Amino acid sequence: ILTILGNSVVLATALRRSSLLKSPELLTVNLAVADIGMAISMYPLAIASAWNHAWLGGDASCIYYALMGFLFGVCSMMTLCAMAVIRFLVTNSSKSNSNKISKNTVCIIITVIWLYSLLWAILPLIGWGYYGPEPFGISCTIAWSKFHSSSNGFSFILSMFLLCTVLPALTIVACYLGIAWKVHKAYQEIQNIDRIPNAAKLEKKLTLMAVLISVGFLSSWTPYAAASFWSIFNSSDSLQPIVTLLPCLFAKSSTAYNPFIYYIFSKSFRHEIKQLQCCCGWQVHFFSTDNSAENPVSMMWSG
């Protein structure tokens, strides 16, 4: 519920101000689409199976569930990686070159992200890698246990781990460390805190928001990754069902965090939510329409 409502508000605000969206903000929209897609395509089936105390639908629904999870999971990871790279490029570019990332470029990046994610998701369907049930029995994912029992499973899991997890994660960390170092050096050059330009303060806030989004995603999926790798090198029976279930649920919660981060850090996002409340009749009092108080700043990025 939080995932669908929160990310629907993100999409609604993006639609309302579509003419004002800066090109990197399209990645924020793409991330919201991936989160909603995961919630709609996967969570109802998992909830129904939990109430049933067993997986529903047999092998066909298991493959469908695992494919959707892999597709949207890789898409979210690669979107966060693209966000980090673009933030790094914008932060380290001169003011005259900061607007060179056009909407067409970002649209191409988003298309490549979806094609890349879809490719990895369908590979187990055409013979490289396997999908299978989770140890606790009410959801499905990559068959981690095939790492040792099959050369096919070994090569797929190793390649997926490197190209869809390790490389994007290292890129995200490297980009934000580079941004943090540049911001630190810039602030060192300014002795008086009151003389820091508003653009620099906004840049710092936007970078912190992007870091929190990435940290939230990676932190949510780390326990699941740890449990999965345990099942690679040990029998799944060595873990209690609750030990494998909780990391899976925690990973699913990653789709609900981002709208709250936007709300805390983005003044324009809060303003857009107030406008939506007025339009939908959620509140009866009127909000100020003074544009001088609420300048339509980028919801996520500074061009």
Side-chain angles (χ1 to χ4, degrees), residues 174-284:
C175 286
Y176 287 131
L177 285 178
I179 293 171
W181 175 252
K182 178 156 181 83
V183 171
H184 172 70
K185 295 296 290 184
Y187 271 61
Q188 273 189 332
E189 295 174 0
I190 304 174
Q191 300 296 328
N192 187 352
I193 191 69
D194 295 327
R195 296 177 59 189
I196 297 177
N198 289 332
K201 294 179 181 179
L202 178 61
E203 184 75 21
K204 183 178 180 181
K205 180 186 290 188
L206 296 175
T207 300
L208 178 60
M209 182 165 61
V211 169
L212 288 177
I213 292 170
S214 298
V215 168
F217 182 86
L218 295 175
S219 300
S220 299
W221 282 93
T222 297
Y224 180 78
S228 298
F229 277 97
W230 176 271
S231 65
I232 287 177
F233 300 105
N234 301 274
S235 171
S236 59
D237 297 333
S238 62
L239 293 176
Q240 294 294 324
I242 191 68
V243 177
T244 58
L245 173 62
L246 289 179
C248 185
L249 296 178
F250 194 53
K252 287 181 171 62
S253 71
S254 66
T255 59
Y257 299 151
N258 295 342
F260 294 98
I261 297 175
Y262 302 151
Y263 187 84
I264 292 172
F265 285 90
S266 177
K267 186 177 181 181
S268 61
F269 184 61
R270 292 194 298 271
H271 177 67
E272 290 292 340
I273 289 180
K274 291 179 181 180
Q275 294 298 323
L276 284 174
Q277 289 173 334
C278 289
C279 294
C280 297
W282 295 346
Q283 293 187 6
V284 295

Side-chain angles (χ1 to χ4, degrees), residues 68-91:
M68 291 294 104
F70 199 18
L71 171 65
F72 291 118
V74 173
C75 181
S76 296
M77 185 66 166
M78 301 311 296
T79 301
L80 291 173
C81 182
M83 282 182 173
V85 172
I86 290 179
R87 285 302 311 156
F88 180 80
L89 293 177
V90 170
T91 302

Side-chain angles (χ1 to χ4, degrees), residues 48-67:
S49 297
W51 281 103
N52 188 55
H53 300 282
W55 182 252
L56 296 174
D59 292 341
S61 64
C62 183
I63 292 174
Y64 160 79
Y65 184 93
L67 186 146

